């Protein structure tokens, strides 16, 4: 991980690769590197930190050549050091490899290669790959790569060049995303589509177990055993301008304000507005399928997991089917009880989250039907699922997810209503009322965004706090968890969410004078109980910020700050209530001088375990 770009053509490769890597900066990284095949030699350059540092080095010492690979690395094996940056080389620097993923058996391979005289200079798992290729190379790079990858256990997307075979890149995919861009007089390889949109809109999406031999004139796709494959060209229709800041200071604030449009786009084609029914043509789950279910299992990580917690409430209340929400990294290793009687709902913005994909594949192997909610139509999750529900959030560049989360919440509501329609557990009047209110949600989010100035002032007041707590009940507790995550991941303030009813069971020990507590109280059935919880923390002299529905004015008497959101159906409130928390996290981080788009130690797409 995290970003990989390669190019073979007639132009200088370095500028093309650097521009592609810039489009992948949203993935997060700690070091960068590039290798160019120049006059039958491979010349490389690496840098710690931002891509701009690598660019400056190349301006001072240019590398000329029309074939090359580049990488932005997020450290997994080996510290963030130049020698650990990619691309990695063989003993003679005649083979160069850029790699996303993790090689699980690298120590064993490294020991075998050392016994044969190979010398390693990095701490990475990746370095075994060029050494393996070197060991097997006898004049045929494709064959050497095939032999090398047969030895690898783990996840890998590779771009390989060799000094003895100029004008060629070998691309390999196994459990880590990789695409090939089909250009004019050039061809490219990358870990994600935005990296190549400045050159072409036509791509091959490689599947697991596929590799490609790429030259300026041709792309030959084959299975790992060399069997040639005829691939369909995927034409990218979305606009590259969508990935630009468009006048906003940061991608995160741009994406927060894009949420009304993202929600509208996600609703498009999923609702029959004349009859106020949900229509999901890519979801084939029937009434009989639903009646045979013993439970629904939601599998996700991070922000998507928090969306799943909201989904649990919606599904159980509407369908009366038990729902479990699983942290994907734990799900696979606890021996989950899954089978044909379980519907597995997988949530992943990128559709490439390694742990989530692992959970998907485990459940699928046990006979569970898989329904994925993702933002990327060509992703692994989308392709490997039986049913697909697309969020139409567009490219999300900031590491901290915002519009992906709210569109996931929207999709979970759509799914809940759709399933309720199939089971015929909703009266026509109730269904129409729900769908009608759901269609209003994008407009209501626009109203919430008009409160930004007030939230910015609040952020200034709290910028120097060391601890901030979020409390809520029911759906509000699920949103509180997302609010705490947003704050800590970009402002580095310690933030925790607690179920408000659990305050007496230990949490009150942390509430002292001046400690900020965000109290979410938007659920009418839990309103009075939340008021009691607010009084509990106020009695300990906490500074309380209440987030409530319009009309709940009595709270102004018992708290220090109040944030209002428009009233809507309780199922849809989380889509509104999270927006002030996103804005608060953003402005607090800005007030503290943090890099909101690229928080430390984090990456956008976690494509390794």
């Amino acid at each position: 991980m995290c970003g990989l770009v390669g190019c073979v053509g007639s132009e200088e490769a370095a500028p093309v690769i650097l521009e592609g890597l810039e489009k992948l900066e949203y993935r997060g990284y700690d070091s960068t590197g590039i290798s160019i095949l120049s006059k039958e030699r491979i010349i490389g350059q690496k840098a710690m930190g931002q891509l701009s540092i690598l660019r400056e080095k190349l301006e001072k010492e240019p590398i000329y050549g029309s074939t090359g690979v580049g990488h932005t690395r997020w450290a997994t094996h080996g510290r963030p050091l130049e020698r650990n940056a990619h691309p990695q080389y063989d003993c003679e620097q005649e083979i160069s490899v850029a790699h996303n993923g993790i090689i699980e058996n690298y120590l064993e391979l490294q020991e075998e290669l050392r016994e044969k005289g190979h010398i390693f200079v990095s701490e990475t798992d990746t370095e075994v790959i060029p050494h393996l290729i070197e060991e097997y190379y006898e004049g045929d790079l494709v064959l050497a790569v095939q032999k090398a990858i047969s030895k690898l256990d783990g996840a890998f997307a590779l771009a390989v060049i060799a000094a003895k075979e100029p004008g060629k890149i070998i691309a390999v995919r196994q459990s880590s995303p990789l695409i090939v861009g089909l250009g004019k007089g050039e061809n490219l390889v990358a870990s994600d589509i935005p990296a190549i949109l400045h050159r072409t809109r036509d791509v091959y999406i490689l599947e697991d177990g596929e590799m490609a031999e790429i030259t300026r004139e041709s792309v030959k796709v084959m299975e790992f055993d060399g069997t040639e494959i005829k691939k369909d060209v995927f034409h990218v229709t979305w606009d590259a301008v969508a990935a630009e800041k468009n006048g906003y200071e940061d991608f995160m604030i741009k994406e927060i304000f894009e949420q009304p449009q993202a929600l509208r786009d996600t609703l498009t084609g999923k609702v029959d507005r004349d009859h106020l029914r949900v229509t999901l043509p890519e979801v084939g789950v029937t009434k009989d399928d639903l009646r045979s279910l013993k439970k629904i299992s939601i599998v996700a990580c991070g922000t998507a997991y928090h969306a799943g917690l909201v989904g649990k409430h919606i599904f159980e209340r509407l369908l009366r089917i038990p729902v479990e929400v699983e942290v994907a990294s734990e799900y696979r290793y606890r021996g989950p009880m899954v089978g044909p009687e379980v519907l597995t709902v997988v949530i992943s913005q990128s559709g490439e989250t390694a742990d989530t994909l692992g959970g998907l594949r485990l459940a699928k192997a046990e006979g569970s039907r898989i329904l994925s909610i993702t933002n990327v139509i060509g992703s692994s999750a989308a392709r490997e699922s039986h049913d697909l529900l697309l969020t139409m959030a567009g490219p999300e560049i900031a590491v901290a997810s915002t519009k992906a989360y709210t569109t996931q919440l929207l999709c979970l509501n759509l799914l809940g209503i759709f399933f309720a329609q199939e089971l015929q557990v909703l009266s026509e009047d109730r269904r129409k009322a729900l769908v009608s209110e759901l269609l209003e949600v994008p407009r209501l989010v626009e109203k919430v965004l008009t409160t930004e100035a007030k939230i910015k002032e609040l952020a200034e007041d709290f910028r120097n706090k060391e601890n901030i707590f979020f409390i809520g009940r029911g759906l509000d507790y699920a949103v509180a968890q997302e609010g705490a995550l947003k704050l800590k991941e970009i402002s580095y303030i310690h933030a925790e969410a607690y179920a408000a009813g659990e305050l007496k069971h230990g949490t009150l020990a942390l509430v002292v004078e001046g400690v900020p507590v965000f109290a979410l109280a938007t659920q009418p059935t839990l309103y009075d109980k939340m008021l009691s919880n607010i009084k509990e923390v106020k009695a300990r002299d906490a500074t309380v910020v209440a987030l409530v529905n319009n009309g709940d004015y009595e709270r102004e008497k018992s708290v220090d700050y109040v944030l209002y959101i428009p009233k809507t159906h309780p199922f849809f409130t989380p889509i509104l209530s999270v927006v002030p928390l996103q804005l608060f996290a953003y402005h607090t981080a800005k007030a503290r001088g943090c890099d909101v788009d690229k928080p430390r130690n984090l990456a956008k797409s976690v494509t390794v375990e």
Side-chain angles (χ1 to χ4, degrees):
M1 158 174 224
C2 269
L4 180 159
V5 179
C7 175
V8 53
S10 56
E11 299 181 25
E12 295 295 334
V16 177
I17 292 168
L18 287 173
E19 188 171 358
L21 291 174
E22 285 177 351
K23 304 300 183 184
L24 297 180
E25 286 192 287
Y26 65 88
R27 288 171 167 252
Y29 61 97
D30 50 51
S31 57
T32 63
I34 193 169
S35 291
I36 302 295
L37 220 164
S38 180
K39 297 180 181 179
E40 298 185 359
R41 294 189 305 136
I42 292 177
I43 301 176
Q45 183 62 272
K46 298 180 180 183
M48 293 300 302
Q50 298 296 303
L51 195 60
S52 58
I53 299 171
L54 178 64
R55 186 180 286 278
E56 289 173 6
K57 285 188 172 185
L58 291 170
E59 287 173 355
K60 293 177 182 177
E61 299 180 32
I63 308 175
Y64 300 106
S66 58
T67 302
V69 295
H71 194 269
T72 52
R73 177 180 187 256
W74 186 67
T76 53
H77 289 67
R79 294 163 292 170
L81 300 170
E82 277 194 18
R83 61 188 171 92
N84 290 332
H86 297 201
Q88 289 288 320
Y89 305 100
D90 66 331
C91 294
E92 304 299 328
Q93 199 164 319
E94 292 187 343
I95 295 168
S96 177
V97 176
H99 165 225
N100 284 349
I102 288 177
I103 306 304
E104 295 176 355
N105 61 333
Y106 82 101
L107 288 174
E108 172 189 334
L109 293 170
Q110 195 178 78
E111 185 177 345
E112 292 175 6
L113 289 162
R114 280 198 170 110
E115 289 176 357
K116 294 179 179 181
H118 291 262
I119 298 171
F120 290 82
V121 298
S122 80
E123 302 165 337
T124 68
D125 56 331
T126 299
E127 195 181 359
V128 300
I129 304 171
H131 285 280
L132 275 173
I133 297 170
E134 178 187 25
E135 183 68 22
Y136 292 121
Y137 186 75
E138 295 178 350
D140 186 333
L141 184 58
V142 171
L143 186 58
V145 170
Q146 288 171 336
K147 289 181 178 180
I149 62 179
S150 71
K151 295 285 189 178
L152 304 179
D153 294 334
F156 46 91
L158 310 177
V160 183
I161 59 174
K164 293 179 180 177
E165 297 195 29
K168 182 184 293 183
I169 299 175
I170 307 300
V172 182
R173 169 178 173 149
Q174 182 62 45
S175 301
S176 193
L178 199 64
I179 59 103
V180 176
L182 309 174
K184 294 181 179 179
E186 67 178 8
N187 289 303
L188 307 102
V189 61
S191 48
D192 208 349
I193 287 172
I196 53 88
L197 281 184
H198 62 298
R199 310 298 291 189
T200 181
R201 289 182 171 275
D202 292 328
V203 303
Y204 288 148
I205 300 175
L206 297 186
E207 304 283 350
D208 286 351
E210 293 181 354
M211 59 189 296
E213 182 179 13
I214 305 166
T215 68
R216 172 186 169 186
E217 297 85 12
S218 66
V219 175
K220 178 183 176 183
V221 181
M222 65 195 89
E223 295 176 3
F224 283 0
D225 64 5
T227 304
E228 193 165 352
I229 302 168
K230 184 173 176 56
K231 297 286 289 186
D232 293 329
V233 176
F234 180 78
H235 183 73
V236 182
T237 57
W238 49 269
D239 191 348
V241 176
E244 301 300 328
K245 290 183 182 177
N246 223 15
Y248 287 93
E249 187 173 353
D250 304 283
F251 281 115
M252 183 178 176
I253 192 65
K254 172 179 175 284
E255 289 158 11
I256 289 172
F257 274 84
E258 285 176 342
Q259 287 177 114
Q261 188 58 49
L263 292 163
R264 290 189 180 98
D265 291 344
T266 299
L267 283 166
T268 301
K270 298 181 178 74
V271 175
D272 178 346
R273 294 171 185 260
D274 293 331
H275 300 94
L276 294 177
R277 289 182 62 86
V278 175
T279 57
L280 303 178
E282 293 184 291
V283 176
V285 180
T286 66
K287 180 195 302 185
D288 289 340
D289 294 329
L290 291 166
R291 284 179 172 169
S292 69
L293 293 180
K294 290 184 178 179
K295 70 176 178 181
I296 297 172
S297 181
I298 300 175
V299 180
C301 297
T303 286
Y305 169 76
H306 294 156
L309 295 174
V310 174
K312 172 183 170 69
H313 285 261
I314 295 165
F315 291 168
E316 289 188 339
R317 290 187 195 178
L318 281 176
L319 311 176
R320 308 311 297 165
I321 297 173
V323 180
E324 293 179 351
V325 187
E326 307 276 3
V327 176
S329 58
E330 294 291 327
Y331 173 71
R332 285 196 283 162
Y333 304 108
R334 68 167 183 80
M337 291 179 286
V338 61
E341 73 286 353
V342 177
L343 173 67
T344 301
V345 178
V346 168
I347 310 175
S348 169
Q349 185 278 141
S350 67
E352 301 291 351
T353 308
D355 286 315
T356 304
L357 287 177
L360 181 160
R361 289 162 184 160
L362 182 153
K364 189 175 183 181
E366 294 296 324
S368 178
R369 186 174 189 129
I370 310 297
L371 189 157
S372 68
I373 298 174
T374 183
N375 194 43
V376 184
I377 192 170
S379 65
S380 296
R383 297 194 309 276
E384 296 180 30
S385 298
H386 300 101
D387 305 283
L388 174 64
L389 191 51
L390 277 176
T391 58
M392 301 298 290
E396 189 176 65
I397 306 303
V399 167
S401 180
T402 52
K403 60 180 180 172
Y405 173 74
T406 48
T407 53
Q408 287 165 358
L409 295 184
L410 180 64
C411 281
L412 288 162
N413 274 289
L414 287 166
L415 197 59
I417 296 169
F418 177 75
F419 285 165
Q421 288 173 184
E422 291 298 305
L423 286 171
Q424 298 177 327
V425 295
L426 278 180
S427 68
E428 184 177 3
D429 288 345
R430 189 180 179 207
R431 186 202 75 228
K432 287 183 176 180
L434 279 171
V435 174
S436 179
E437 285 196 71
L438 190 59
L439 290 171
E440 287 295 304
V441 166
R443 182 182 62 82
L444 298 181
V445 172
E446 287 176 334
K447 282 191 172 184
V448 178
L449 289 168
T450 64
T451 66
E452 182 191 14
K454 181 177 181 179
I455 296 168
K456 185 176 181 180
E457 291 178 4
L458 181 65
E460 288 288 342
D461 290 347
F462 287 4
R463 61 186 293 182
N464 294 320
K465 298 295 184 180
E466 295 182 359
N467 301 284
I468 297 181
F469 299 125
F470 294 74
I471 60 173
R473 287 173 176 260
L475 286 166
D476 282 334
Y477 175 44
V479 177
Q481 291 178 73
E482 175 62 12
L485 175 62
K486 283 285 129 340
L487 183 63
K488 59 189 168 189
E489 71 182 333
I490 63 169
S491 76
Y492 316 140
I493 292 173
H494 172 249
E496 295 292 342
Y498 296 102
E502 290 291 292
L503 284 171
K504 293 186 180 74
H505 298 276
T507 307
L508 277 175
L510 299 173
V511 179
V512 295
E513 183 178 357
V515 168
V517 176
F518 275 72
L520 282 65
T522 69
Q523 300 298 301
T525 59
L526 296 165
Y527 184 93
D528 291 335
K529 290 187 179 297
M530 272 304 300
L531 185 59
S532 297
N533 297 137
I534 288 171
K535 289 179 178 177
E536 285 178 334
V537 293
K538 277 305 296 177
R540 277 76 181 174
D541 295 320
T543 301
V544 178
V545 182
L547 198 161
V548 299
N549 296 314
N550 283 334
D552 293 339
Y553 299 112
E554 68 270 22
R555 292 198 179 279
E556 293 185 2
K557 302 173 184 177
S558 57
V559 301
D560 302 280
Y561 304 84
V562 183
L563 300 176
Y564 292 106
I565 61 170
K567 282 188 175 180
T568 186
H569 191 282
F571 286 174
F572 313 142
T573 298
I575 303 174
L576 308 184
S577 61
V578 76
V579 176
L581 305 184
Q582 294 170 345
L583 288 168
F584 176 74
Y586 171 80
H587 285 294
T588 303
K590 292 292 289 185
R592 291 166 65 88
C594 302
D595 186 341
V596 294
D597 285 340
K598 289 175 261 184
R600 68 191 182 205
N601 300 332
L602 300 180
K604 183 65 178 176
S605 292
V606 184
T607 56
V608 297
E609 289 189 59

